[in-house]
Amino acid sequence: MTVDASPANTHASVSERIYLALRQEIMRCEIAPGTTIDAASIARQYEVSKTPVRDAMQKLAADGLVTILPRSGYRVTAITFQAVHEILDLRAAIGPHAARQAARYATAADVAALREIVSEYAAPLDVGTMQQVARRFHIAIARCSRNKRVVALSESLFDELERLLRFAIDFSVKTGEHSDEHTALVDAIEAGDGEQAAAIEAAHIKSSREFLIERLMTLGYLSESEIHNGNEARRAGE
C-alpha cells in the first residue's frame, strides 16, 4: 500500500503535526490560559502557510482549548468555574462507576497490573510523573470495566485535568502519596466488592475536587464570587 503524497495529504499531515504540538503545549500550560495566539507567528514558526494553522486551530477550538477571535486571532481558553465544575462533575460520575464495574469484571491479571502501577508510588516522584502514574492507574481501572466508552471518557477527562493540575499542584518531589487509598481500592476490586470500590473512588475524587478548587482560588484563577455565582446559576438551571 502506497502513501498518498498529494498536496491535500501533505497539508493534512502538517496541520495534524501543528495541532498535536500546540495541544501538548496548552495541556502542559507551556502556553498559559488566556494567551493570545497569532496564526501568522505560528505559520512562520513551522514555515507553512496559514491554511494548515487555521485547520489546527479549528481542531483545538473543537476540543474547547482555544477561542476563535476576529481577524485570525485565537485565545487559549481560560480556566473558569464552569469548566472546572464540568470536568470534576463528570469525573465524580464516571470514576465510581468504573471502579464498581472493575470489581465485577477485573481478572487476576488486571489486579496484578493495578498493583504494579500502585508500587510506582513507593519511589520519589515529581508531581508531573505522579500525575501520569495516577492517570495510568485510573484509566486501567476504566479498562477493567470492559466499557470502551467509559475508557474514552476517562482518557479525555484526564487530558483536561492535566491542564488544571499544572496550575494547582506544587511540583516538588513526593513519595508514597495516594498509595494507601489506591491499595485499598485495588483490594476492594480484587475482593469483588463493587460498592466499597465505588465509595473509595468517590471519596478520593471528592477530596481531590476540594483541594483543586481551593488551590485554584489561592492562585487567583478562581474567585469566591465566581464560584458563588456559578453555583447560583447551576441551582437556577435545576
Side-chain angles (χ1 to χ4, degrees), residues 160-178:
E160 295 189 76
L161 275 170
E162 179 174 359
R163 194 163 77 111
L164 299 181
L165 292 170
R166 289 275 172 173
F167 279 96
I169 295 180
D170 171 24
F171 274 67
S172 59
V173 175
K174 302 183 180 182
T175 304
E177 188 162 315
H178 302 313

Side-chain angles (χ1 to χ4, degrees), residues 214-225:
E214 180 182 346
R215 285 292 296 158
L216 289 171
M217 287 176 63
T218 300
L219 295 169
Y221 292 104
L222 291 177
S223 67
E224 288 189 25
S225 61

Side-chain angles (χ1 to χ4, degrees), residues 33-34 64 67 76-88 163-164 167 212-213 216 220-223 226-227 230:
T67 301
V76 177
T77 305
I79 292 175
T80 65
F81 170 78
Q82 185 64 26
V84 172
H85 160 68
E86 288 176 358
I87 292 167
L88 297 179
R163 194 163 77 111
L164 299 181
F167 279 96
L212 181 56
I213 289 176
L216 289 171
Y221 292 104
L222 291 177
S223 67
E226 184 180 12
I227 292 173

Side-chain angles (χ1 to χ4, degrees), residues 21-175:
L22 291 175
R23 191 178 195 281
Q24 179 172 281
E25 290 179 27
I26 292 170
M27 286 297 188
R28 293 180 176 177
C29 292
E30 292 164 7
I31 303 177
T35 300
T36 299
I37 300 175
D38 178 58
S41 297
I42 298 296
R44 286 193 297 272
Q45 178 184 341
Y46 285 91
E47 300 181 340
V48 297
S49 70
K50 289 185 182 179
T51 302
V53 176
R54 282 197 296 266
D55 289 347
M57 291 299 180
Q58 291 286 348
K59 289 188 69 174
L60 290 169
D63 290 344
L65 294 176
V66 302
T67 301
I68 300 174
L69 304 174
R71 299 190 178 126
S72 300
Y74 306 88
R75 180 175 293 127
V76 177
T77 305
I79 292 175
T80 65
F81 170 78
Q82 185 64 26
V84 172
H85 160 68
E86 288 176 358
I87 292 167
L88 297 179
D89 209 34
L90 275 173
R91 177 85 182 94
I94 292 170
H97 172 74
R100 184 182 292 107
Q101 294 300 98
R104 181 177 182 183
Y105 295 114
T107 65
D110 290 330
V111 171
L114 290 172
R115 293 198 187 282
E116 180 65 26
I117 296 173
V118 173
S119 72
E120 295 181 36
Y121 284 102
L125 303 173
D126 65 76
V127 175
T129 303
M130 186 181 293
Q131 186 178 312
Q132 292 306 309
V133 174
R135 184 185 194 279
R136 286 193 289 111
F137 176 75
H138 290 290
I139 289 175
I141 288 175
R143 290 198 176 99
C144 290
S145 75
R146 303 299 187 260
N147 187 319
K148 292 179 181 178
R149 287 177 173 79
V150 167
V151 175
L153 281 170
S154 297
E155 289 176 335
S156 175
L157 285 173
F158 273 96
D159 282 346
E160 295 189 76
L161 275 170
E162 179 174 359
R163 194 163 77 111
L164 299 181
L165 292 170
R166 289 275 172 173
F167 279 96
I169 295 180
D170 171 24
F171 274 67
S172 59
V173 175
K174 302 183 180 182
T175 304

